[in-house]
Amino acid sequence: MSLEITTTPSASPRSDEDVARVLEDPGFGTTFTDHMLQVTWTPDDGWHDARITAYGPLSLDPATAVLHYAQETFEGMKAYRHADGSVWTFRPEENAARMVRSSHRLALPVLEPDDFVRCVDALVEVDQRWVPDAAGEKSLYLRPFMFASEAFLGVRPSQHVTFMVIASPAGSYFKGGLTPLRLWLTEDYTRAGRGGMGAAKTGGNYASSLVAQQEAMAHGCDQVVFLDVAEGRYVEELGGMNMYFVYADGSIVTPETGTILEGITRSAIIDLAHKKGHKVEERRFGVDEWREGVASGEITEVFACGTAAVVTPVGTLQWDGGEVSGAATEEAGPLTKEIRQDLVDIQYGRADDGFGWMHRVL
Ligand SMILES: *Cc1c(COP(=O)(O)O)cnc(C)c1O
């Protein structure tokens, strides 16, 4: 049975002038739309009471389980406005399926993918005036999330769970635009081991990455790169982005899945690169291969990808005691730019979506 969603419009929505002013320079993740969506789960009633109401603070009991044991999962996706005014999301069923996998790992209940997509669509529809024009590659960032909302300090899966969707207009994620990143290779911290929750999109992975990110910034770097737990030799990913390495012969390597987050952008890039005739290998990729490949010129481009930042070039890898910069240190390399353009052209409806990736909301 699919969820029935009720809507109670906000009594004090932002004025059209206010919204227009925000959309001119939305930044990232600081301003939220007029409404939010909320659904409740209990063992007896399953998912029920799906409602869209005015955006506002939640009232939580101090014993709410998520505040103590971090039982939560989330997703990140965007709504794009096309030139004809229509509004679309990108592969939302993939986000829905990933939330099911993440929730399984965090012992949270399953929200059926159809219901997930309907909830996201419903909020976008109610707050459609917050979806920016395509100009400047702006979008409405969507944040579905699920958390343990039972007030109980014992350690067991929560018997009361809340799923929510909130939305926030977004400009470019990195203020510097397409300037290549300087990455810090952390040798003190890791993000996920075998049997851990590295493949789940859960706040705990981000909590554990923050100190490493601080270390990166203290060394003058933009982002941190993590290596595998077992041997400390293989490249995993950044705090919130997957990685790609482009060779001079046009072949591409990306770290295999398992302990990394299975990015939807990552998988789209594999398909796009195949379509352009590139060989793509998903395999373990040693940090020594990175250092040596860049130094010898065998690796010509390095980039990172994710929904928020799309595709971002990597210029320099720095570690305790050295650094190596590739050919594309001052600006993005040609394939990085091409793949980024191919992807955003599909997302904004400027290129044919031969993959069936786009989902029309309005
Ligand atoms: C969300 C996320 C990504 C990127 O995934 P996309 O589906 O491409 O947005 C990469 N790494 C981590 C740790 C993430 O949480």
Side-chain angles (χ1 to χ4, degrees), residues 105-144:
R105 181 63 184 83
L106 274 291
L108 285 163
V110 168
L111 177 64
E112 289 302 330
D114 280 356
D115 286 330
F116 175 102
V117 174
R118 282 186 343 102
C119 285
V120 171
D121 286 1
L123 184 67
V124 172
E125 182 169 358
V126 169
D127 279 335
Q128 56 184 279
R129 67 192 180 113
W130 290 86
V131 182
D133 290 338
E137 281 173 16
K138 294 172 191 169
S139 60
L140 183 63
Y141 185 79
L142 302 165
R143 169 53 59 86

Side-chain angles (χ1 to χ4, degrees), residues 74-77 95 98 141 191 198 200-202 205-206 237-242 260-267 305-310:
F74 70 95
E75 275 301 323
M77 50 204 290
N95 296 94
R98 186 168 64 190
Y141 185 79
R191 67 175 293 283
K201 207 165 176 74
T202 180
N205 287 333
Y206 282 74
E237 61 169 313
L238 310 189
M241 282 191 284
N242 299 120
I260 64 167
L261 199 281
E262 296 174 18
I264 295 163
T265 318
R266 173 187 180 280
S267 103
C305 70
T307 296
V310 196

Side-chain angles (χ1 to χ4, degrees), residues 90 252 265-278 280 311 335 338-344 346 352 355 357:
F90 181 73
I252 300 174
T265 318
R266 173 187 180 280
S267 103
I269 286 172
I270 293 174
D271 292 345
L272 280 172
H274 275 148
K275 193 177 164 201
K276 297 167 83 67
H278 294 270
V280 184
V311 169
L335 188 63
E338 240 180 77
I339 284 187
R340 182 180 200 287
Q341 198 62 45
D342 287 356
L343 192 55
V344 296
I346 290 175
D352 190 35
F355 298 97
W357 285 339

